[in-house]
Amino acid sequence: MGHGKMSWESLLETQAPAECFLKAALFTTYDRADERFVVEHLLPLFLKLGHEHDGESAERQYFLLELDRRLQEIHDRIVIVSSTAREEPRASDDRNERPGATYDWIWRSIRHLTVGSARKAVQHSKLWLLHWGSADEDTDEYLEIVISSANLTRPAFQSQLQAGWRACIALQPQRSENRLAKWGVLPAFLEELGKSAGEPQRVRAFTELLARVECPKDTTFLASVPGIYSRKELHRRPWGAAGLARIVPAGKSMTTISVISPYVGWWTLSSLRRWCAEAGGSPNRLELVWIDKDHAWTKYWCLPRSTAELLMKSKGSIRRYTNESGERVGFHEEHRAEDPRWCHAKLYHLRRGNSRRLLVTSANFSTAAWGNEGRKGVCVIENFELGVCIPVGPDDWPFDNLECFENPNDIATVAVVPSQSSNLIAWANATWDGKTIRIDCRCAQVSALSGELRAGSHRVPVKTWRQIPGSSVSTAKVAYTGSWEPPFAMDLKCRNEHISVPIFDERSQGEREMTLPPEVDAELAQLLRDQLLFEQYGGRIALEDPDTDIPDADGGLADGEIEGADDKNGSTSRSHDSYVVPSFELARQHFEIVNNWAARLEKSSGANSEAWEREWLRRDGELLLDAFKRKFKADGIKNSSIALPSRLAAEELAVRLKYFPEA
């Protein structure tokens, strides 16, 4: 869904122009992101990788090195914020705690943050902010925004139906406070999210991007931020249910609200009345779309029996998610009835007269998400939630004509709602500068807190914790000057609770480059990296095992393997003159790589480019120079004639680097 147009499509796509490249990204998710999903599905799409994770032999290693290279290029510019507390019951298709542990190494370059650095908080929003750059100075940069119900896990995309909203908007050269104000509560939500994660500066960069794009017309954002609020505070900043008044259709009649939410919390009559009143309605104008007790989704959906009884007692409607024939109702005309996925979407349809609006959100129908007001008018919100509301037409809500349950015993309910755990270790963050690992955490019982560094087979215990003055956070430092070895994490334990904290790599770029992803053959790594670098700037790459002479895709030998070159015994199968044409062709290929690098450098002088991009291009030039030198040496062993183009390319690069334009 985007700009009010309903569609049936995959969330795993982008609306950014094909020539754009990812410069930065912010993702929020509930549980810790599934590394396997991130590496094998999310990152290949947005980083536009050219190799396959499930390829054989060398192709697999090319994929890992290409991914590592792209992550190093935008090191510390991808941020993923999650929560460890759980509100919803864990579904049976999502029970693997760490299904992607073999990819733990990505957290060296991706900031993995959790909320709760100052107080208890649950991160339940599902937001993607993607900053797309352009190599062409005349082409716009873009900010792509996705708000949905999807977590960063494989089940979320393979076995669940989600709802989402997407917009891809051209960035203006200059920021504007007026533009920023039009985004409503979204900038303030990002600020609070960053504070709770203990890294506000990491998130503010994305808030600044909002100041450079126009908010889509007729779009209103709704958000929840954990905290305790007075009515006066909620009037100034309408978190949770207080924001409903800003999205209801205009008019004087009562609002009818239809809800689809796989998790419904425990409500009282007073809290339900207050929630409905914020939206200009009442409990008897509330409709909940739900399933019967024999439905296949009963192991995923949760409705307390007491809440179902309350809805029916207050004259609200619980509508059966089937048509007259007992078949499931499609969410869209392209939705197949036999679709095996279960619905994880959270949708709120508001109707007043002929006006209709649809809220696409991460918020379940619970007081944890929307807030619970006590007797003194103080509202308690537990979760970070985010939604977007847009106008829709009468045909965009397919559940208007569902029948109500006649027999309450047919409704799928549970007697007890799983309680949200209260973690002893509420928040943690770890970094490494090559000499010292710093670990910060907020723990309810510091006296019972222990920690241990895991670096491959090495184990280094945390000896002393120190309380940060004026804070509930404790900190410790562990000396470590060894190499990065998987798994590289800080294990924290408090009584019977245990968490593993990824360690972000803050070493210099040169030191990080020396660290290889697991599975990559160290003896072949340099050759593979050189070939990937040539490929990035227009060269060819061998797709088979790099230590064998394999024909390339065009039927010829891999770049540099000229037919008739000297064999190991020094014999030659063709005359020296026969190398003239191949040498010219190799020179053309090599100089095309140099020229492509130079063209990228020239385009990086535009206003849209940042200092880190130019610095990375300089480093690429240095790496290309070294790669051509190695190629010259390797080709010279076979035949000096085919080695000359590599030497000439290296000399040309050396000159260009000498006069590298400074910013």
Side-chain angles (χ1 to χ4, degrees):
M1 176 191 300
H3 299 296
K5 182 180 180 181
M6 305 286 285
S7 59
W8 186 255
E9 60 189 45
S10 172
L11 273 176
L12 279 178
E13 62 178 30
T14 176
Q15 293 180 350
E19 64 271 17
C20 288
F21 63 91
L22 189 67
K23 294 181 69 172
L26 170 68
F27 300 94
T28 67
T29 182
Y30 188 17
D31 289 321
R32 173 170 166 174
D34 173 355
E35 289 98 337
R36 186 173 298 279
F37 168 76
V38 171
V39 167
E40 296 181 356
H41 300 281
L42 191 77
L43 292 178
L45 170 68
F46 293 136
L47 297 181
K48 301 185 177 181
L49 302 185
H51 295 274
E52 301 294 334
H53 69 86
D54 54 356
E56 296 292 334
S57 189
E59 174 66 7
R60 167 74 174 174
Q61 296 194 55
Y62 278 130
F63 168 79
L64 294 171
L65 284 172
E66 183 185 20
L67 173 60
D68 183 53
R69 173 174 168 76
R70 286 290 287 120
L71 287 178
Q72 290 203 43
E73 182 178 351
I74 55 174
H75 182 81
D76 203 12
R77 297 181 66 82
I78 298 180
V79 180
I80 298 181
V81 186
S82 70
S83 175
T84 54
R86 172 164 285 276
E87 172 198 354
E88 302 172 54
R90 186 179 293 274
S92 60
D93 64 347
D94 192 19
R95 291 189 181 276
N96 292 328
E97 291 293 333
R98 297 294 310 286
T102 55
Y103 294 121
D104 281 0
W105 57 271
I106 64 173
W107 304 121
R108 294 193 294 120
S109 294
I110 298 175
R111 286 275 182 181
H112 175 267
L113 306 177
T114 58
V115 296
S117 65
R119 55 162 295 141
K120 181 181 178 181
V122 176
Q123 201 311 107
H124 196 256
S125 67
K126 285 82 175 173
L127 168 68
W128 301 356
L129 291 176
L130 307 169
H131 180 190
W132 293 101
S134 174
D136 189 342
E137 185 179 354
D138 297 326
T139 302
D140 288 331
E141 292 194 323
Y142 291 85
L143 177 63
E144 188 166 14
I145 308 171
V146 179
I147 295 174
S148 75
S149 57
N151 292 302
L152 296 183
T153 63
R154 284 180 295 167
F157 289 83
Q158 293 178 353
S159 56
Q160 299 171 9
L161 292 170
Q162 310 290 356
W165 172 88
R166 183 192 306 269
C168 192
I169 312 167
L171 282 159
Q172 302 301 314
Q174 302 296 328
R175 74 183 306 280
S176 164
E177 283 295 328
N178 184 50
R179 284 196 207 99
L180 189 62
K182 291 180 180 179
W183 288 94
V185 298
L186 184 54
F189 169 83
L190 290 173
E191 179 67 18
E192 295 299 328
L193 182 72
K195 288 179 181 178
S196 184
E199 297 273 2
Q201 70 279 10
R202 307 291 172 194
V203 180
R204 283 179 189 143
F206 297 94
T207 306
E208 282 300 300
L209 292 175
L210 291 176
R212 293 175 55 195
V213 292
E214 298 290 346
C215 182
K217 185 180 178 182
D218 296 326
T219 302
T220 307
F221 296 90
L222 207 65
S224 295
V225 169
I228 302 174
Y229 303 98
S230 66
R231 291 179 180 175
K232 183 178 180 180
E233 289 173 319
L234 290 177
H235 180 74
R236 182 180 62 86
R237 188 75 74 194
W239 301 127
L244 288 170
R246 303 195 178 193
I247 67 170
V248 295
K252 296 182 179 180
S253 60
M254 296 287 283
T255 305
T256 298
I257 309 170
S258 298
V259 179
I260 287 183
S261 169
Y263 176 85
V264 177
W266 182 79
W267 291 83
T268 64
L269 181 58
S270 59
S271 61
L272 187 63
R273 283 174 173 169
R274 279 193 291 266
W275 187 90
C276 292
E278 293 285 4
S282 62
N284 66 344
R285 306 280 294 185
L286 181 63
E287 301 174 350
L288 177 66
V289 178
W290 203 251
I291 56 176
D292 61 65
K293 62 183 180 181
D294 297 322
H295 199 283
W297 295 353
T298 54
K299 58 183 176 181
Y300 309 118
W301 282 32
C302 177
L303 170 63
R305 186 174 302 140
S306 60
T307 299
E309 293 171 350
L310 175 65
L311 282 171
M312 301 188 79
K313 183 179 179 180
S314 58
K315 307 301 181 182
S317 302
I318 302 181
R319 298 187 177 272
R320 188 190 297 265
Y321 176 58
T322 54
N323 59 22
E324 295 178 354
S325 303
E327 299 172 338
R328 287 192 297 175
V329 179
F331 282 77
H332 189 270
E333 60 184 10
E334 297 181 37
H335 183 198
R336 297 179 293 107
E338 61 272 19
D339 193 329
R341 295 173 295 175
W342 63 276
C343 177
H344 188 256
K346 289 87 170 162
L347 297 168
Y348 296 75
H349 181 260
L350 297 92
R351 184 173 70 253
R352 177 181 271 173
N354 294 324
S355 299
R356 296 168 179 253
R357 293 181 69 83
L358 182 65
L359 174 65
V360 180
T361 180
S362 62
N364 285 301
F365 191 46
S366 69
T367 55
W370 290 100
N372 189 20
E373 185 175 315
R375 294 180 179 179
K376 296 182 179 180
V378 175
C379 181
V380 178
I381 299 176
E382 299 180 25
N383 297 0
F384 280 100
E385 307 280 3
L386 184 63
V388 58
C389 189
I390 58 172
V392 292
D395 297 329
D396 290 328
W397 185 251
F399 310 111
D400 276 339
N401 299 316
L402 297 182
E403 295 182 351
C404 294
F405 280 94
E406 295 181 0
N407 186 349
N409 294 326
D410 292 338
I411 303 172
T413 61
V414 296
V416 180
V417 178
S419 61
Q420 184 172 294
S421 61
S422 181
N423 297 337
L424 293 173
I425 305 174
W427 171 84
N429 188 38
T431 58
W432 179 45
D433 63 4
K435 298 178 181 179
T436 304
I437 293 173
R438 172 171 173 157
I439 175 73
D440 297 326
C441 77
R442 190 169 70 85
C443 181
Q445 299 180 17
V446 180
S447 60
L449 178 65
S450 63
E452 183 180 66
L453 166 67
R454 278 189 302 143
S457 60
H458 301 286
R459 298 291 185 272
V460 183
V462 175
K463 295 181 179 180
T464 306
W465 293 96
R466 179 179 61 85
Q467 192 83 14
I468 297 179
S471 168
S472 59
V473 173
S474 298
T475 186
K477 293 183 178 181
V478 176
Y480 183 76
T481 57
S483 59
W484 186 95
E485 297 181 48
F488 198 67
M490 183 64 70
D491 288 340
L492 299 181
K493 185 177 181 181
C494 184
R495 299 196 182 280
N496 61 346
E497 187 174 300
H498 170 272
I499 66 170
S500 180
V501 184
I503 301 173
F504 185 78
D505 193 345
E506 292 187 337
R507 293 178 298 168
S508 67
Q509 178 180 323
E511 291 175 302
R512 296 196 308 269
E513 285 177 354
M514 302 302 294
T515 302
L516 291 173
E519 297 185 54
V520 174
D521 189 329
E523 294 184 0
L524 297 176
Q526 190 59 68
L527 175 60
L528 295 171
R529 280 175 162 172
D530 288 351
Q531 290 178 320
L532 280 169
L533 191 60
F534 291 147
E535 180 190 56
Q536 181 175 344
Y537 290 97
R540 293 184 297 171
I541 191 166
L543 295 179
E544 306 293 339
D545 289 331
D547 54 347
T548 59
D549 293 342
I550 302 294
D552 65 14
D554 297 323
L557 294 174
D559 188 14
E561 302 294 334
I562 303 300
E563 185 179 355
D566 294 343
D567 62 20
K568 294 180 180 179
N569 297 320
S571 62
T572 306
S573 59
R574 60 165 66 184
S575 67
H576 180 273
D577 290 342
S578 66
Y579 288 100
V580 174
V581 173
S583 294
F584 273 114
E585 175 59 22
L586 279 177
R588 185 193 65 78
Q589 293 176 10
H590 294 353
F591 273 84
E592 183 178 3
I593 292 172
V594 176
N595 290 335
N596 287 339
W597 172 82
R600 283 275 303 274
L601 176 61
E602 183 178 355
K603 291 175 181 177
S604 72
S605 61
N608 289 336
S609 296
E610 300 178 46
W612 68 268
E613 295 177 74
R614 295 178 60 78
E615 187 58 36
W616 185 261
L617 280 170
R618 176 198 285 274
R619 183 57 180 156
D620 270 2
E622 295 169 348
L623 293 174
L624 281 169
L625 174 60
D626 292 340
F628 277 124
K629 287 180 178 179
R630 282 188 289 269
K631 189 165 182 58
F632 168 69
K633 183 177 180 180
D635 290 347
I637 296 174
K638 301 173 183 178
N639 187 284
S640 59
S641 297
I642 63 171
L644 180 60
S646 298
R647 191 187 76 184
L648 294 175
E651 291 174 350
E652 176 67 16
L653 264 171
V655 172
R656 290 178 183 258
L657 284 168
K658 182 178 180 180
Y659 297 100
F660 189 93
E662 300 297 334

